[in-house]
Amino acid sequence: MGEPVDPSFFNNDFFRTLISVIAGGIISLGSVLIVEWVKQHREKQEKKRILYNKLISSINSIRRYEINCLEHGMAFNYHKTIYRIDESNAHAKSQGEYHQQKRDEGVSLLFEKVEALDMYAIDFEILCGNDESFKELIENINQWPRPDLSRFNDVTSISDLNDKYEVEIEDKLSFTSDYWNKAVNKIHLHIYKKLL
């Protein structure tokens, strides 16, 4: 078989060396695990911070585009009514076309931002789990009570149109700004608590 092991081989120095090697291995493994855990924790915090910035940016962009579309939509209807009252007013026609184009561009950009917000909302759920409050806040943004644009069909004079337009645009912009400011503040507080 083999030669017997010398009994002096298993002396105190051998056991001290063995314990030192095992302890060193455990300490090294522990250090590696702690460093990896800290790294993963930092990466998760960074992901949360990035997601927070993307959510807030998207929501603020949607708010700006909603207000912008409302302004251009109302201006389009205003200039279209001026042109209906006075068909010789080529300036009103060109201004109406300009506002219609700007409104259409704004609507396209709005759809892009809403799609991005939906994507970030999914990322939020993946990162933070199922959150009914968050879903409700996003739903309030996606399904907000958008004011109807005044058509000014009953107006027959430019002075009446100017008076009516001034009141209508102020009311609708005030409503839109108030609604979006409240919605943004609510969702900001919610995601701030969850992500930061």
Side-chain angles (χ1 to χ4, degrees):
M1 291 232 158
E3 291 187 31
V5 177
D6 183 14
S8 65
F9 181 74
F10 294 109
N11 60 22
N12 286 340
D13 289 336
F14 171 77
F15 288 114
R16 278 191 213 136
T17 305
L18 183 63
I19 290 172
S20 296
V21 168
I22 291 172
I26 291 172
I27 291 171
S28 295
L29 178 62
S31 297
V32 167
L33 292 176
I34 289 172
V35 166
E36 189 61 32
W37 179 81
V38 168
K39 180 181 167 189
Q40 288 176 356
H41 181 72
R42 284 184 182 154
E43 286 174 358
K44 187 173 182 180
Q45 290 303 108
E46 183 65 14
K47 284 180 184 178
K48 284 182 174 184
R49 187 188 64 73
I50 290 169
L51 181 58
Y52 170 81
N53 289 339
K54 287 179 179 179
L55 281 166
I56 292 299
S57 173
S58 293
I59 292 167
N60 281 328
S61 293
I62 291 170
R63 171 177 44 182
R64 282 191 303 275
Y65 288 132
E66 287 285 359
I67 291 170
N68 188 301
C69 288
L70 174 68
E71 289 172 330
H72 285 295
M74 290 288 289
F76 167 71
N77 289 342
Y78 171 78
H79 289 289
K80 184 174 80 172
T81 303
I82 290 175
Y83 186 71
R84 180 181 48 83
I85 293 170
D86 179 11
E87 289 185 5
S88 66
N89 192 335
H91 180 71
K93 182 178 181 182
S94 67
Q95 283 297 301
E97 290 168 352
Y98 167 80
H99 287 292
Q100 182 181 23
Q101 178 186 1
K102 287 297 187 183
R103 183 197 61 202
D104 293 345
E105 289 171 4
V107 168
S108 294
L109 293 170
L110 182 62
F111 283 132
E112 288 176 18
K113 290 297 179 181
V114 168
E115 288 174 356
L117 178 62
D118 290 341
M119 183 181 68
Y120 299 141
I122 291 169
D123 290 344
F124 179 88
E125 284 195 20
I126 290 169
L127 197 59
C128 298
N130 192 9
D131 185 347
E132 291 301 320
S133 298
F134 179 74
K135 285 181 183 178
E136 184 179 317
L137 291 169
I138 292 295
E139 188 67 25
N140 286 343
I141 286 175
N142 286 335
Q143 303 298 324
W144 78 285
R146 184 176 285 113
D148 291 330
L149 297 179
S150 301
R151 302 268 182 222
F152 308 115
N153 292 333
D154 57 338
V155 177
T156 57
S157 74
I158 302 277
S159 62
D160 289 344
L161 175 64
N162 289 337
D163 293 340
K164 190 169 184 176
Y165 176 78
E166 190 174 307
V167 170
E168 293 276 333
I169 191 74
E170 188 175 317
D171 287 346
K172 291 180 189 313
L173 284 175
S174 176
F175 169 78
T176 302
S177 294
D178 289 347
Y179 183 89
W180 275 93
N181 287 339
K182 289 176 187 172
V184 168
N185 285 337
K186 284 180 187 176
I187 200 159
H188 173 261
L189 291 174
H190 185 80
I191 64 176
Y192 184 83
K193 290 177 190 174
K194 290 283 188 172
L195 295 176
L196 299 180

